[in-house]
Amino acid sequence: MQQIAPLARFLPYQLSIASNAVSGRIAQEYRARWGLSVPEWRVMALLGDFGKITQRDLTRLSLMDKVAVNRACKVLEDRGLVERTPNEQDGRSHLLDLTATGREMHGQIMPLAREMERRICDGFSAAELDMFRAMLDRLHMQSEMVDSDDIESDNFGIG
Amino acid sequence: MQQIAPLARFLPYQLSIASNAVSGRIAQEYRARWGLSVPEWRVMALLGDFGKITQRDLTRLSLMDKVAVNRACKVLEDRGLVERTPNEQDGRSHLLDLTATGREMHGQIMPLAREMERRICDGFSAAELDMFRAMLDRLHMQSEMVDSDDIESDNFGIG
DNA sequence: GAAGGATAGTTGCCGATGCAACAAATAGCT
DNA sequence: AGCTATTTGTTGCATCGGCAACTATCCTTC
């Protein structure tokens, strides 16, 4: 058991456990302080920035599943943090926005988010973080471009 | 909707969606080709490298929950890819290892893993990837060191 | 060697997440 | 206008993953 597992150098794995650790730590904080789940927190963050938008807009902005957005909105509405008004341009959807209570909570939530981000990233320069973000975005893109058939045909590059 | 959402610059969020995209893409591949879940794949990778070890060892090496390891082992055993032999040093546990069939599958799985990693990381230098891995590990560590009470006491650093 | 505590593995349960199917409304085509 | 396809939001269902509780075995201490 002295040997370092190759798994520990498999980048998708390292990415996964780092992401789980960071997200888990932040989720724990929001749950403990305000009883908010991650999707709920994301919706509040977006509504605070964008004001009256639809669930569809929230889905696109958050990159979450529309069902996750819908459930988060429902919970927030039941808690009186978010309100819906009819959308006169489109009868299928509603316009969502923070209530006064929701706006007040948003004012506490965002500073905590920034502070936790700052602490988690403590010790890295702005340039390092920018490069890190750029790499994340590119890995994200490139993972979606990998073509299965392509891999199949060359026998994993070992044939 | 022209504005770039601040959420898109929130590092834990970027980390989360990048990780989900990468893991999801790879998980899809393993599911389609061999019907393996991510935990099952990880167990096979570790058994291929370490040979006869216990579930406890697998839990430590994989950083997964012991329940996840147990369920993965059970599925792999039922599929005839993994076998248990009694552990003479400790009657509570068994020694797990790949069967001949499992070893054959392992021989196909690992090249695919490396090839997908290579394609997802295509365009980055070894130095960039090393730095990226180091940052992942450090973010992981630092997220676990953030102290709630500490944040509480300074009112999120906003006075 | 018996008792108490620790550890390995297992099971059940609950919450989170995602997809498929659906209803309501809109948009496009003729 | 009327028919069809698309889009938005919603519900139900299956799955996944983690935690708590439990059993069996081991270790320590007396």
Side-chain angles (χ1 to χ4, degrees), chain A residues 90-106:
Chain A
D90 189 332
R92 291 170 300 183
S93 59
H94 295 256
L95 294 176
L96 299 165
D97 203 355
L98 296 176
T99 61
T101 310
R103 207 167 304 276
E104 185 189 356
M105 186 180 286
H106 180 265

Side-chain angles (χ1 to χ4, degrees), chain B residues 24-77:
Chain B
R25 181 64 188 80
I26 294 182
Q28 170 192 340
E29 205 64 25
Y30 285 115
R31 178 165 304 280
R33 289 171 188 257
W34 296 289
L36 289 176
S37 71
V38 170
E40 285 155 21
W41 174 78
R42 288 180 182 167
V43 165
M44 290 209 56
L46 289 170
L47 286 181
D49 292 328
F50 289 99
K52 290 186 178 305
I53 56 179
T54 65
Q55 284 190 20
R56 175 179 172 279
D57 296 327
L58 285 168
T59 300
R60 300 229 167 141
L61 288 169
S62 67
L63 299 186
M64 295 193 297
D65 192 274
K66 64 178 179 176
V67 180
V69 171
N70 179 264
R71 288 199 265 245
C73 290
K74 189 178 229 174
V75 170
L76 294 173
E77 195 184 3

Side-chain angles (χ1 to χ4, degrees), chain A residues 9-15 134-147 151, chain B residues 18 21-23 25-26 112-133 136:
Chain A
R9 291 281 299 175
F10 188 53
L11 195 131
Y13 170 73
Q14 292 178 279
L15 188 54
M135 288 186 75
L136 283 178
D137 288 342
R138 188 156 160 202
L139 291 172
H140 181 166
M141 276 192 340
Q142 290 186 177
S143 71
E144 289 174 350
M145 290 211 246
V146 173
D147 182 351
I151 298 177
Chain B
V22 171
S23 294
R25 181 64 188 80
I26 294 182
L112 174 64
R114 293 297 167 195
E115 178 63 15
M116 291 205 71
E117 182 183 37
R118 195 188 66 71
R119 290 180 186 227
I120 288 170
C121 299
D122 188 45
F124 293 113
S125 71
E128 284 173 319
L129 291 173
D130 279 345
M131 170 179 293
F132 185 75
R133 287 181 217 271
L136 283 178

Side-chain angles (χ1 to χ4, degrees), chain A residues 35-141:
Chain A
L36 289 176
S37 70
V38 170
E40 286 156 20
W41 173 79
R42 287 180 182 167
V43 165
M44 291 208 56
L46 289 169
L47 286 180
D49 292 327
F50 289 100
K52 290 186 179 304
I53 56 179
T54 65
Q55 284 189 20
R56 175 179 172 278
D57 296 327
L58 285 168
T59 299
R60 300 227 168 144
L61 288 169
S62 67
L63 299 186
M64 294 193 297
D65 192 275
K66 65 179 179 176
V67 179
V69 171
N70 178 266
R71 287 198 264 245
C73 289
K74 189 178 230 173
V75 170
L76 294 173
E77 194 184 3
D78 289 346
R79 288 183 59 177
L81 299 168
V82 160
E83 61 186 354
R84 311 165 108 100
T85 58
N87 183 356
E88 308 196 347
Q89 273 75 45
D90 189 332
R92 291 170 300 183
S93 59
H94 295 256
L95 294 176
L96 299 165
D97 203 355
L98 296 176
T99 61
T101 310
R103 207 167 304 276
E104 185 189 356
M105 186 180 286
H106 180 265
Q108 301 183 301
I109 285 171
M110 294 316 292
L112 173 64
R114 293 297 165 196
E115 177 63 13
M116 292 205 70
E117 182 184 36
R118 194 189 66 71
R119 290 180 186 226
I120 289 171
C121 298
D122 188 43
F124 293 114
S125 70
E128 284 173 318
L129 291 173
D130 279 344
M131 170 178 293
F132 186 75
R133 289 181 215 272
M135 288 186 75
L136 283 178
D137 288 342
R138 188 156 160 202
L139 291 172
H140 181 166
M141 276 192 340

